[in-house]
Amino acid sequence: MLNHSDDRRARRSRRLLKQGLSELLREKKFSDISVRDITDRMDMNRGTFYLHYTDTYDLLHNLEEDVLKDAQEVIDEHREEIKGVNTLKPIFSPLLDYIVEHRNVCESLFGNNASSDFIGKLHQLIYRNGSELICRRWLNAPKERMEYLMNFAAYGTIGLIRRWFDTNMGISKKDLLDMADRLINGAAVQLLGEPQQL
Amino acid sequence: MLNHSDDRRARRSRRLLKQGLSELLREKKFSDISVRDITDRMDMNRGTFYLHYTDTYDLLHNLEEDVLKDAQEVIDEHREEIKGVNTLKPIFSPLLDYIVEHRNVCESLFGNNASSDFIGKLHQLIYRNGSELICRRWLNAPKERMEYLMNFAAYGTIGLIRRWFDTNMGISKKDLLDMADRLINGAAVQLLGEPQQL
DNA sequence: TGATTATAATAACATAATGTTGAATTGTCA
DNA sequence: TGACAATTCAACATTATGTTATTATAATCA
């Protein structure tokens, strides 16, 4: 049914469709964007759309997955650097760089007119990767508390990023990173006590 | 164009349409719900829908607004109780009661299939009401820091609620409230220092 | 209460969007 | 180059959308 080939033309079509949606999202609400809108703008046949995606939601979700996959790769590249240190900066810093670099598509996905679960997926990403760090520092903490802490911290971090984003990166990256470390650490220590090891 | 009258028939129609959407959201994705789906289920004419809402998104947003309006009322009823105390429990507790009581519609709106900005709106609600408390305790804190703290805490709180919700309220309300107080307070103290007044 | 007025609900309609198909054409990659 | 795969194009049936006269119902008032 759906085409997922590696053909150069197919890649081009998928790229163009994503680009078209991304552009349109900056102009109008997702609910007002039709398949025809996207294909017309990119000068492609409407039928081509259905070779690759089932509907506009499917395309949007693929757009999200692209961004999240990139983000995960950035994290993986720096995973080793947070072992033994008491900060999330080594991971958080390149992640912010990525967001700034791709601010256009990120803005579309963050935007309140986008119809998706980008926030939920982003939360899972942060949760997944943050748990590792927390587990290492609080080895014997109650599992349940740790999970609530992680949910609090993961969503809280999204709040920080969104604020930074909405104020056009008005403060320096360093200041943001310092605040993130302090907020997360403060919350963690208050809930779980002093960490057992670094 | 759109009808917002107090007519008994109009009220009934709007109530039925919201109920229909709410029910359908528990069965399938928002993207698969058409105007016809909703009106057919409620045994009303499809045209009636357009007398009250422009499209399914409009209806969904109205459903959200209802819940958020209720939540704001709950908060307003208990606003006085947090003056001079070092806890959010007096407000947070009845809010959780409301969520439990209306868990069906809340589940639909929280759910990752819903296409909306419910999280964003909920964040604004918490932000608006929480700022007051923070401002009172840290009178001379830098404005910028306070804003980042509030974004962190507001989103973090959503994380707690969602975790609680997703685990079917698996822990007692008291435990959740205790954790919320500690997490928020820990983050705040770490970022802003000890509060100047209670 | 019964008549009057206002407006909500309905049915019918025209238009637009969707999703699919088959044939012709073009671009890829081995 | 040649086999293959993807795109295009046109056409189609189906479904969804949005509007408009008409009918039915609720609110108002004598």
Side-chain angles (χ1 to χ4, degrees), chain A residues 127-192:
Chain A
Y127 183 96
R128 240 190 349 261
N129 291 283
S131 294
E132 203 182 310
L133 183 70
I134 300 288
C135 286
R136 206 158 49 229
R137 294 185 63 202
W138 284 272
L139 280 174
N140 300 318
K143 196 162 183 296
E144 197 152 64
R145 282 196 175 193
M146 277 184 33
E147 272 164 9
Y148 274 95
L149 166 65
M150 273 309 305
N151 272 280
F152 181 79
Y155 265 99
T157 303
I158 292 173
L160 293 181
I161 294 174
R162 195 162 182 177
R163 171 74 191 168
W164 193 56
F165 210 81
D166 290 347
T167 54
N168 285 306
M169 296 86 178
I171 65 170
S172 74
K173 210 177 71 175
K174 185 187 172 305
D175 284 351
L176 181 65
L177 292 171
D178 283 340
M179 281 200 285
D181 269 340
R182 293 173 76 162
L183 288 165
I184 294 172
N185 199 61
V189 169
Q190 191 64 244
L191 192 69
L192 304 180

Side-chain angles (χ1 to χ4, degrees), chain B residues 1-163:
Chain B
M1 175 194 176
L2 248 57
N3 179 353
H4 294 105
S5 78
D6 249 20
D7 191 292
R8 188 179 169 186
R9 291 164 297 177
R11 282 200 309 273
R12 176 174 172 277
S13 292
R14 285 194 290 267
R15 180 169 44 77
L16 286 175
L17 290 170
K18 282 173 190 164
Q19 186 188 331
L21 174 61
S22 183
E23 286 180 19
L24 283 164
L25 275 175
R26 261 169 276 145
E27 296 168 19
K28 53 179 174 177
K29 291 183 295 182
F30 176 76
S31 54
D32 291 336
I33 297 172
S34 66
V35 172
R36 181 183 296 279
D37 281 338
I38 300 168
T39 50
D40 276 3
R41 163 172 298 234
M42 292 339 234
D43 294 312
M44 40 202 313
N45 188 280
R46 194 171 57 81
T48 306
F49 181 96
Y50 295 101
L51 295 174
H52 301 285
Y53 305 103
T54 57
D55 52 29
T56 52
Y57 292 84
D58 189 31
L59 174 57
L60 178 64
H61 291 145
N62 271 274
L63 195 60
E64 290 177 357
E65 291 300 333
D66 281 0
V67 171
L68 293 166
K69 193 168 143 287
D70 284 350
Q72 183 64 56
E73 278 173 19
V74 169
I75 291 174
D76 289 341
E77 280 169 22
H78 298 87
R79 181 180 298 284
E80 296 300 313
E81 300 169 35
I82 58 165
K83 291 194 173 166
V85 297
N86 184 17
T87 171
L88 287 165
K89 289 193 184 81
I91 279 185
F92 209 29
S93 178
L95 212 48
L96 290 179
D97 292 337
Y98 175 85
I99 290 174
V100 172
E101 196 181 340
H102 299 82
R103 68 174 76 85
N104 274 344
V105 66
C106 287
E107 194 166 11
S108 299
L109 298 180
F110 265 128
N112 58 13
N113 56 359
S115 149
S116 68
D117 192 35
F118 185 63
I119 299 289
K121 289 175 186 163
L122 190 55
H123 163 253
Q124 280 171 21
L125 180 89
I126 298 174
Y127 183 96
R128 241 191 347 262
N129 291 283
S131 294
E132 200 182 313
L133 184 69
I134 299 288
C135 287
R136 203 158 51 229
R137 294 185 61 205
W138 283 272
L139 279 175
N140 299 319
K143 196 162 182 296
E144 198 151 63
R145 283 197 174 195
M146 278 184 34
E147 272 164 9
Y148 274 94
L149 166 65
M150 273 311 303
N151 273 279
F152 181 80
Y155 265 98
T157 303
I158 292 173
L160 293 181
I161 295 173
R162 196 162 181 178
R163 170 76 192 168

